[in-house]
């Protein structure tokens, strides 16, 4: 790998999971490799205190405009860390390159053993960038918009009281579909189809498919099937007036309490999240690898 002078002032923003010793060592290895190659590193001061970092690493106190002047966001951690990185990627418009230091890591493009490859690709800028759909989410009460949010994976309307079901009515494009008691309803992008929606029995949707998903969770109803709609659809979940309060979760990170009678509307987001890709492998291969799916007996196209 050829070294580059720091005078080029190429900078990447690093978001890291620092909760485990093995993750700390991987992040430190990544930082050293990038610095040696002439890439400046910037990260949050709250994360830097847990790392043994050399001089020359820039730290910032908060995330607002933290990635200004950077060319890439590197995220090293599990699914939660990758979703945290997606917030900064969306706000900054920068591509995000995920390195999985957790278990599944569907948003990640590299694994712990790929750190040297990651450094080389970042230095040479040999990665592709793709855009992923997001969701724009709003909450209405008595017809007034009281909250706005967004999600990369999903927005979920969930019960708040463990002992009681949430009574809801679902809607697609201004028309009612069904009402039922449930633990919740997941409104998902194709990216989120392998996350919470998958756990609820929803279909796996290839990332290049443009669609929205509605997946009821533990619904008490004869018809409570997962729905796949147009990307131009508007999905809504209304909390029935005489039901306990619910809660809205966006990517499992941001929550908002939903009073009885609240209405949650979800539509395709105006701002996508950009992901940096190192591999051109089919999504089928990623699915098999991440879920350790059995494929013994497959003989390939030539056998057909």
């Amino acid at each position: 790998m050829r070294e580059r002078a720091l005078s080029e002032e190429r900078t990447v923003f690093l978001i890291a999971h620092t909760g485990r010793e093995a993750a700390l060592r991987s992040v430190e290895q990544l930082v050293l490799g990038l610095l040696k190659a002439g890439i400046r590193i910037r990260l949050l001061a709250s994360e830097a205190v847990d790392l043994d970092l050399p001089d020359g690493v820039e730290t910032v106190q908060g995330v607002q405009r933290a990635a200004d002047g950077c060319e890439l966001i590197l995220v090293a951690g599990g699914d939660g860390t990758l979703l945290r990185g997606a917030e900064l990627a969306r706000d900054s418009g920068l591509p995000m390159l995920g390195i999985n230091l957790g278990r599944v890591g569907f948003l990640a493009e590299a694994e712990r053993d790929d750190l040297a490859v990651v450094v080389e690709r970042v230095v040479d800028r040999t990665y592709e960038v793709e855009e992923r759909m997001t969701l724009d989410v709003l909450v209405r009460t008595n017809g007034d918009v009281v909250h706005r949010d967004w999600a990369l994976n999903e927005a979920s309307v969930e019960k708040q009281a463990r002992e009681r079901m949430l009574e809801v009515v679902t809607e697609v494009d201004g028309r009612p579909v069904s009402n039922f008691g449930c633990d919740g309803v997941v409104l998902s992008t194709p990216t989120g189809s392998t996350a919470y929606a998958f756990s609820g029995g929803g279909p796996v949707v290839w990332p290049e498919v443009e669609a929205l998903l509605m997946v009821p969770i533990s619904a008490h109803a004869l018809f409570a099937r997962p729905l796949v709609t147009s990307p131009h659809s508007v999905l809504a979940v209304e909390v029935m007036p005489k039901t306990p309060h619910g809660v809205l979760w966006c990517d499992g990170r941001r929550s908002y309490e939903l009073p009885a009678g609240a209405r949650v509307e979800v539509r395709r987001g105006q701002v996508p999240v950009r992901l940096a890709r190192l591999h051109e492998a089919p999504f089928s291969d990623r699915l098999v690898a991440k879920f350790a799916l059995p494929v013994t007996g497959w003989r390939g196209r030539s056998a057909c």
Side-chain angles (χ1 to χ4, degrees):
M1 182 189 306
R2 59 183 181 278
E3 295 191 7
R4 297 170 182 256
L6 282 175
S7 59
E8 292 185 36
E9 295 187 350
R10 293 181 57 194
T11 306
V12 300
F13 195 94
L14 176 64
I15 294 178
H17 175 74
T18 58
R20 295 192 300 270
E21 186 66 24
L24 291 176
R25 303 289 81 82
S26 295
V27 173
E28 290 164 1
Q29 180 183 343
L30 178 64
V31 168
L32 290 174
L34 289 167
L35 289 175
K36 183 178 179 181
I39 305 294
R40 296 179 186 270
I41 308 292
R42 186 186 302 165
L43 74 164
L44 295 174
S46 58
E47 295 177 357
V49 297
D50 296 322
L51 297 163
D52 184 13
L53 299 174
D55 295 335
V57 174
E58 180 186 357
T59 61
V60 293
Q61 294 297 324
V63 296
Q64 187 173 9
R65 303 187 66 86
D68 283 3
C70 295
E71 65 179 60
L72 182 70
I73 297 172
L74 277 175
V75 183
D79 291 323
T81 310
L82 292 165
L83 287 170
R84 181 158 57 92
E87 294 175 353
L88 183 58
R90 177 180 179 270
D91 291 343
S92 66
L94 295 174
M96 177 182 80
L97 176 56
I99 304 164
N100 181 35
L101 302 182
R103 289 181 294 176
V104 181
F106 252 97
L107 289 173
E109 186 64 10
E111 301 295 325
R112 191 188 307 269
D113 295 337
D114 301 327
L115 296 180
V117 174
V118 170
V119 172
E120 182 177 354
R121 294 292 195 89
V122 171
V123 169
D124 294 334
R125 294 192 177 102
T126 50
Y127 52 83
E128 301 293 328
V129 177
E130 67 180 37
E131 292 188 348
R132 291 293 182 90
M133 280 180 59
T134 59
L135 302 175
D136 284 342
V137 184
L138 61 83
V139 179
R140 298 182 189 270
T141 58
N142 300 318
D144 297 325
V145 176
V146 295
H147 180 70
R148 295 181 184 272
D149 214 316
W150 74 281
L152 172 61
N153 274 352
E154 77 281 312
S156 59
V157 177
E158 303 179 32
K159 66 180 185 180
Q160 196 171 56
R162 179 181 177 88
E163 69 279 4
R164 296 187 62 183
M165 291 188 299
L166 186 69
E167 297 286 340
V168 301
V169 57
T170 59
E171 174 191 301
V172 177
D173 294 332
R175 303 304 301 164
V177 175
S178 185
N179 67 334
F180 42 73
C182 60
D183 285 351
V185 180
V186 179
L187 309 168
S188 169
T189 64
T191 299
S193 71
T194 52
Y196 191 7
F198 176 83
S199 300
V204 173
V205 181
W206 264 232
E208 60 267 26
V209 175
E210 295 190 340
L212 299 177
L213 285 70
M214 177 183 283
V215 182
I217 304 298
S218 301
H220 288 241
L222 292 176
F223 182 84
R225 300 296 184 184
L227 305 179
V228 180
T229 73
S230 160
H232 308 297
S233 290
V234 178
L235 311 183
V237 178
E238 294 184 355
V239 179
M240 301 291 276
K242 296 182 180 181
T243 192
H245 288 198
V247 59
L248 166 70
W249 283 96
C250 291
D251 284 337
R253 290 186 46 78
R254 303 175 302 279
S255 64
Y256 183 82
E257 184 173 329
L258 300 172
R263 172 184 173 90
V264 177
E265 295 178 3
V266 165
R267 50 180 52 81
R268 180 177 187 161
Q270 294 186 0
V271 181
V273 168
R274 304 173 69 217
L275 299 183
R277 290 300 189 199
L278 304 181
H279 312 289
E280 296 183 359
F283 181 71
S284 306
D285 292 353
R286 182 182 294 268
L287 199 66
V288 169
K290 295 294 185 178
F291 286 147
L293 301 179
V295 292
T296 302
W298 181 71
R299 295 182 294 165
R301 297 175 186 170
S302 60
C304 299

